[in-house]
């Protein structure tokens, strides 16, 4: 076994960068630790500006040939990558569970199959991407999507491989080359993806993976003049830093940021369904940007809703995410756990009441928490906690529900529970959100636009919207005059 290889759950993972089709070590490393038990998973290559420059140079060198590759061939390679993901699905699942603590059963049944689907979807969408030609005073307009160039993709730790490939797949399909920087708290499956892509026949330099801290390698990537697109999923403060870094080169950005999404429960809703939707917000230990962490319940049913919620939440099993029976695993990092507990303890000190939870458990686990008696302008209502912490507030009528729902600086998603179709339409039309779910949650289709409003992000990706971002759109106008007969 190489000194640059670590074994995680029986799977060998190379801990070096992947640049220009080769493994590249760094002078220093950082330690990757499992949130399950605090065990060391490996010493990971700690990239600097030098590795950033090398990766961008490799992406730039590989770009002309990949951009000129016919769509059908690019699609074939993406399908081959999806095949590789499916062959190694179990390996990817066990490694990612060890790395970020999310449920193994979810990785096996939903997350890793979605990784493969990301590649297949954008491969297929590419082959039919187009716009009908149209006429302007006898002139023909033809719209085309031209590859933009090297793309820097910076991805989060809460769903590492799925969210990485949500960006990587359309960027590659569009004919671009990629430098992927995974989060330092969960870097391992990005390394495995590099292996899978190489085995699938993706040319050297088309996909590069570099690891490290944002302050050491991220800034060098986002400020590089040869980068043509930057896509980032993460926090608002980091997005502001990236935006500032990219501004000098006017590099286009796609930013999917935090959320403080509401779940509106009206008195005419199916309360059992509404309770199930509310409890579902504890998924992934509350580490989901889309989570409806602010539960807003109509006053007349609030007491009954709360009773059923407490009863339903009590059935959740918290523990080792590798156990098939577990519903809630650990939080990603001690620093994140401290952040979560800080929010809760400050809220309680300010007068909030923990109906359930409100405390740390052994290890990196936090008890599922529901806080009531919280003010609308309080920190725990206004700021993203990113842990298993929900708040419950009441409203008197539809207008108040909408006002409370929209009263944060975020606008990523919203969920509405109601038995009245007309109300669902009215309320959904007034909510500030990139996605609104009615009587459901987390139903996502890759052909739909995805992104946030306000401080929840800039831009939309998904379907043709992804290609609009990852490409330079061109309109070619052709006159019917001036043609010579070359027959």
């Amino acid at each position: 076994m190489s000194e640059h290889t670590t074994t995680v759950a029986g799977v060998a993972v190379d801990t070096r960068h992947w640049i220009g089709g080769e493994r590249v070590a760094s002078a220093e490393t950082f330690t990757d630790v499992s949130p399950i038990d605090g065990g060391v998973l490996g010493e990971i290559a700690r990239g600097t500006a030098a590795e950033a420059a090398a990766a961008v140079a490799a992406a730039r060198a590989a770009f002309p040939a990949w951009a000129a590759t016919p769509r059908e061939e690019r699609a074939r390679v993406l399908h081959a990558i999806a095949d590789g993901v499916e062959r190694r699905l179990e390996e990817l699942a066990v490694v990612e569970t060890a790395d970020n603590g999310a449920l193994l059963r979810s990785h096996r049944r939903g997350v890793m199959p979605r990784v493969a689907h990301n590649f297949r979807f954008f491969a297929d969408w590419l082959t039919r991407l187009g716009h009908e030609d149209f006429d302007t005073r006898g002139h023909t307009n033809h719209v085309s999507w031209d590859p933009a160039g090297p793309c820097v993709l910076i991805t989060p730790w809460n769903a590492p491989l799925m969210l990485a490939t949500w960006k990587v797949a359309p960027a590659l399909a569009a004919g671009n080359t990629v430098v992927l920087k995974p989060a330092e708290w969960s870097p391992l499956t990005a390394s495995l993806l590099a292996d899978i892509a190489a085995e699938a026949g993706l040319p050297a330099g088309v996909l590069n993976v570099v690891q490290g801290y944002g302050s050491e390698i991220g800034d060098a990537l986002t400020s590089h003049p040869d980068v043509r697109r930057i896509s980032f999923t993460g926090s608002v403060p980091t997005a502001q830093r990236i935006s500032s870094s990219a501004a000098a080169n006017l590099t286009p950005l796609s930013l999917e940021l935090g959320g403080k999404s509401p779940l509106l429960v009206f008195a005419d809703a199916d309360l059992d369904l509404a309770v199930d939707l509310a409890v579902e917000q504890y998924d992934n230990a509350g580490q989901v940007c889309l989570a409806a962490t602010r539960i807003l319940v109509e006053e007349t049913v609030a007491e009954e809703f709360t009773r059923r919620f407490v009863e339903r939440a009590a059935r959740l099993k918290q523990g080792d995410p590798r156990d098939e029976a577990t519903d809630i695993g650990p939080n990603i990092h001690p620093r994140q756990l401290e952040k979560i507990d800080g929010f809760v303890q400050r809220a309680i000190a300010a007068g909030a009441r923990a109906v359930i939870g409100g405390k740390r458990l052994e290890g990196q686990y936090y008890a599922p928490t529901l806080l009531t008696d919280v003010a609308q302008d309080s920190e725990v209502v206004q700021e993203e906690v990113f842990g298993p912490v929900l708040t419950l507030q009441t409203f008197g009528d539809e207008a108040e529900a909408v006002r409370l729902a929209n009263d944060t600086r975020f606008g990523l998603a919203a969920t509405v529970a109601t038995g009245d179709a007309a109300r669902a339409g009215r309320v959904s039309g007034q909510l500030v959100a990139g996605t609104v779910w009615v009587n459901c949650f987390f139903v996502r289709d890759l052909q739909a636009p995805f992104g946030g409003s306000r401080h929840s992000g800039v831009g939309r990706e998904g379907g043709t919207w992804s290609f609009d971002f990852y490409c330079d759109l061109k309109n070619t106008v052709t006159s019917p005059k001036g043609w010579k007969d070359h027959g």
Side-chain angles (χ1 to χ4, degrees):
M1 187 73 69
S2 164
E3 64 175 309
H4 300 297
T5 302
T6 188
T7 301
V8 178
V11 181
V13 183
D14 200 303
T15 58
R16 295 170 292 179
H17 313 287
W18 177 254
I19 299 174
E22 297 180 350
R23 288 293 176 177
V24 177
S26 289
E28 297 185 28
T29 62
F30 64 92
T31 303
D32 185 28
V33 177
S34 175
I36 299 174
D37 55 13
V40 173
L41 298 176
E43 296 297 326
I44 313 301
R46 181 173 170 176
T48 63
E51 287 85 354
V56 173
R60 181 181 179 185
F63 173 67
W66 182 246
T69 301
R71 286 184 176 190
E72 292 73 19
E73 174 61 14
R74 296 203 302 264
R76 185 197 67 76
V77 174
L78 263 64
H79 276 292
I81 295 173
D83 292 340
V85 169
E86 290 172 348
R87 282 193 299 270
R88 301 186 66 177
L89 189 147
E90 179 66 13
E91 294 180 17
L92 293 166
V94 297
V95 169
E96 190 144 295
T97 290
D99 208 11
N100 86 329
L103 300 184
L104 180 55
R105 74 179 192 218
S106 296
H107 281 140
R108 284 171 169 158
R109 300 171 191 172
V111 177
M112 296 309 163
R114 173 63 180 270
V115 169
H117 177 64
N118 285 345
F119 284 104
R120 297 200 191 284
F121 173 88
F122 286 107
D124 292 341
W125 200 269
L126 168 66
T127 59
R128 60 176 182 266
L129 179 69
H131 190 291
E132 289 188 6
D133 291 352
F134 56 97
D135 179 83
T136 303
R137 299 188 300 278
H139 296 65
T140 300
N141 293 262
H142 176 75
V143 177
S144 58
W145 285 258
D146 294 350
C151 301
V152 165
L153 312 178
I154 303 174
T155 54
W157 46 259
N158 59 323
L161 193 57
M162 185 183 74
L163 292 178
T165 56
W166 159 256
K167 302 175 187 295
V168 170
L172 296 181
N176 298 322
T177 51
V178 165
V179 179
L180 170 64
K181 187 216 163 296
E184 60 267 26
W185 287 352
S186 56
L188 298 180
T189 49
S191 181
L192 293 176
L193 176 65
D195 295 335
I196 291 170
E199 293 165 3
L202 189 69
V206 175
L207 172 64
N208 306 275
V209 179
V210 291
Q211 300 140 165
Y213 298 114
S215 59
E216 296 177 349
I217 192 170
D219 290 349
L221 290 171
T222 56
S223 63
H224 200 293
D226 289 338
V227 171
R228 296 292 176 260
R229 295 291 187 275
I230 299 170
S231 180
F232 168 73
T233 297
S235 70
V236 171
T238 303
Q240 291 168 330
R241 181 170 179 168
I242 290 172
S243 299
S244 178
S245 180
N249 300 310
L250 295 178
T251 308
L253 297 167
S254 177
L255 305 173
E256 194 265 281
L257 310 177
K260 197 68 185 174
S261 302
L263 164 57
L264 288 71
V265 180
F266 290 93
D268 56 19
D270 178 333
L271 276 194
D272 286 332
L273 171 62
V275 165
D276 284 344
L277 292 173
V279 173
E280 191 176 350
Q281 308 312 311
Y282 290 131
D283 182 51
N284 201 20
Q287 300 168 142
V288 179
C289 57
L290 293 161
T293 56
R294 295 185 297 130
I295 305 173
L296 307 175
V297 186
E298 194 162 354
E299 292 169 352
T300 55
V301 295
E303 184 176 347
E304 178 63 15
F305 174 90
T306 304
R307 184 189 68 78
R308 296 191 197 185
F309 177 94
V310 171
E311 182 181 275
R312 174 71 179 80
R315 299 202 297 268
L316 293 172
K317 179 179 178 182
Q318 189 165 20
D320 192 322
R322 296 165 296 193
D323 185 339
E324 281 280 318
T326 297
D327 298 305
I328 302 177
N331 289 98
I332 183 74
H333 194 275
R335 190 168 22 173
Q336 184 66 17
L337 199 67
E338 289 290 341
K339 176 186 172 186
I340 294 165
D341 193 49
F343 271 106
V344 172
Q345 300 313 319
R346 289 191 297 273
I348 292 173
R353 180 171 68 94
V355 177
I356 61 171
K359 61 184 179 181
R360 296 177 57 163
L361 304 175
E362 185 178 352
Q364 284 178 211
Y365 295 79
Y366 203 88
T369 298
L370 178 68
L371 299 176
T372 60
D373 302 328
V374 290
Q376 178 63 21
D377 62 355
S378 64
E379 176 194 50
V380 75
V381 170
Q382 292 294 322
E383 299 298 328
E384 186 176 45
V385 177
F386 222 61
V389 178
L390 310 179
T391 61
L392 190 150
Q393 299 166 270
T394 62
F395 60 85
D397 57 24
E398 194 175 293
E400 185 181 15
V402 171
R403 179 182 64 77
L404 292 173
N406 288 338
D407 187 23
T408 74
R409 63 190 175 110
F410 298 103
L412 187 55
T415 303
V416 179
T418 179
D420 185 333
R423 166 176 281 155
R426 284 194 309 272
V427 171
S428 298
Q430 297 175 74
L431 294 175
V432 178
T435 301
V436 178
W437 286 289
V438 178
N439 293 332
C440 60
F441 176 67
F442 217 55
V443 179
R444 287 181 58 184
D445 193 306
L446 284 178
Q447 65 185 313
F450 180 77
S453 303
R454 296 177 176 168
H455 280 208
S456 286
V458 175
R460 296 291 185 272
E461 294 185 44
T464 300
W465 289 276
S466 285
F467 288 97
D468 288 348
F469 173 69
Y470 287 110
C471 292
D472 290 325
L473 269 73
K474 178 191 294 178
N475 185 43
T476 302
V477 184
T478 303
S479 170
K481 302 176 181 178
W483 300 107
K484 295 182 180 180
D485 185 359
H486 294 281

